[in-house]
Amino acid sequence: MLSKNQIKFIKRLGQKKYRLAEGYFVVEGVKTINELLQSHFELHQLYTTESFNIDAKTENLISEADLKRISFLKTPNKALAVFNIPKPNQVDCEGLIVALDDVRDPGNLGTIIRLCDWFGIKDLVCSKQTVDCYNPKVLQATMGSISRVNVSYLDLSSFLNKAQLSIFGAFMDGDNVYQAALPDKGILVMGNEANGISKTIEAEINKRIAIPRFGNIQVTESLNVATATAILLSEFRRTQ
Amino acid sequence: MLSKNQIKFIKRLGQKKYRLAEGYFVVEGVKTINELLQSHFELHQLYTTESFNIDAKTENLISEADLKRISFLKTPNKALAVFNIPKPNQVDCEGLIVALDDVRDPGNLGTIIRLCDWFGIKDLVCSKQTVDCYNPKVLQATMGSISRVNVSYLDLSSFLNKAQLSIFGAFMDGDNVYQAALPDKGILVMGNEANGISKTIEAEINKRIAIPRFGNIQVTESLNVATATAILLSEFRRTQ
């Protein structure tokens, strides 16, 4: 049985201010929880309908009805875990880094974290206005990749200004990425869904790149930020 | 004022069986509606809080409260339109074609339609189990691209069998796409989110391709089908 306080504690972790205050986040689903258990993430409490065979102090066997009361999902997936939010590591400037300038959509951030994991990007640097990576909707889209990518929330302008690296930015009117020389060390900046890269951040960028449009070039559409990140990361990596 | 019958008619169009029976679909938002108005799509009825200056028989000026009653969105965006579902054109086998084997997530299909538009893919061929492209959630993700991509629902196995084209399929264990020779004419098959390409469809494929993983190769994650499509279409097009 869950106490009222337990339910309240978990539900509050859906909000960023409580996550920051408490230092915990919630993750759901057997597969993702298992991946995090095998990582450096520290488990606080597990609520599950089927035992994970971990120590009884941390594991709470609960009914499906109880799981429904604490879950953030429409269809809860057997288990919900509360983990400690780890302190991010120092950004490692020896490889390719992805930086996000106010990406707001949780699904986009989740997809970008998963892409970083796939393409071996160790560090994702986010502006402070970027959606929180411990938001339940972000975690649902990352599928465990969150344990393999170091996500830091920094003053992006000052970080870029101090970084001794080439800084690439994705713009609609940048140079054709297929013809650009892409190093294996540098920073790739992706902008906000509606406004792209802000003027302040643009000032720090050395090289403006774009994905050419092959369809009707009269149409002023842009690619979604997550699919654009997929294509650009693939371009950076394929040359290695 | 909206009549009960109008509300019922529109709400029902959220379901595939009613869309098929009636031959209409719903689209929302001023920008997307304007794009469709400029395309070959035929408008049936427009419900809007601000006039589009089109003929009074088709345009219904309504209150925000009324718009809320018919909208499929949490935050309705000024207008909702009902268009005729067009008959798809014959598939044009002179270019690159994307084929989907049971893609089920509306957001993924919407993103793939938008990618086809970006990369100048005229034809998207879907298996009959693929989510309906006139589903409101698909249309929300396509952003008007639906008017520039010819989407056909066919018996995919039989279509591939008869097509006189090279057929590429995305597999986890396929050949490195960065080293593959990619023609400007052919078919790229993408599989279902959970199961990939089915055995029946696999039998029709000539060339298995994969996006190499650069991160921890021990981890058995896959890329999301929409981001994988983005990367593969970019690879097909960059060589031109």
Side-chain angles (χ1 to χ4, degrees), chain A residues 74-105:
Chain A
K74 268 188 204 158
T75 323
N77 181 357
K78 289 182 188 159
L80 178 151
V82 179
F83 282 89
N84 289 291
I85 293 179
K87 212 173 158 312
N89 297 323
Q90 191 84 17
V91 179
D92 173 7
C93 289
E94 287 307 308
L96 182 63
I97 295 166
V98 174
L100 303 181
D101 183 16
D102 299 4
V103 166
R104 299 295 173 95
D105 180 81

Side-chain angles (χ1 to χ4, degrees), chain B residues 16 99-104 125-131 152-157 201:
Chain B
K16 185 177 170 182
L100 303 180
D101 183 17
D102 299 4
V103 165
R104 300 294 175 97
V125 175
C126 300
S127 68
K128 296 204 168 159
Q129 300 307 314
T130 293
V131 56
S152 311
Y153 287 79
L154 302 174
D155 178 324
L156 187 57
S157 171
I201 298 301

Side-chain angles (χ1 to χ4, degrees), chain B residues 67-87:
Chain B
L67 182 61
K68 218 163 187 161
R69 293 166 75 194
I70 52 174
S71 175
F72 293 88
L73 304 176
K74 268 187 204 160
T75 324
N77 182 359
K78 290 181 187 158
L80 179 151
V82 179
F83 283 89
N84 289 292
I85 294 180
K87 213 173 157 313

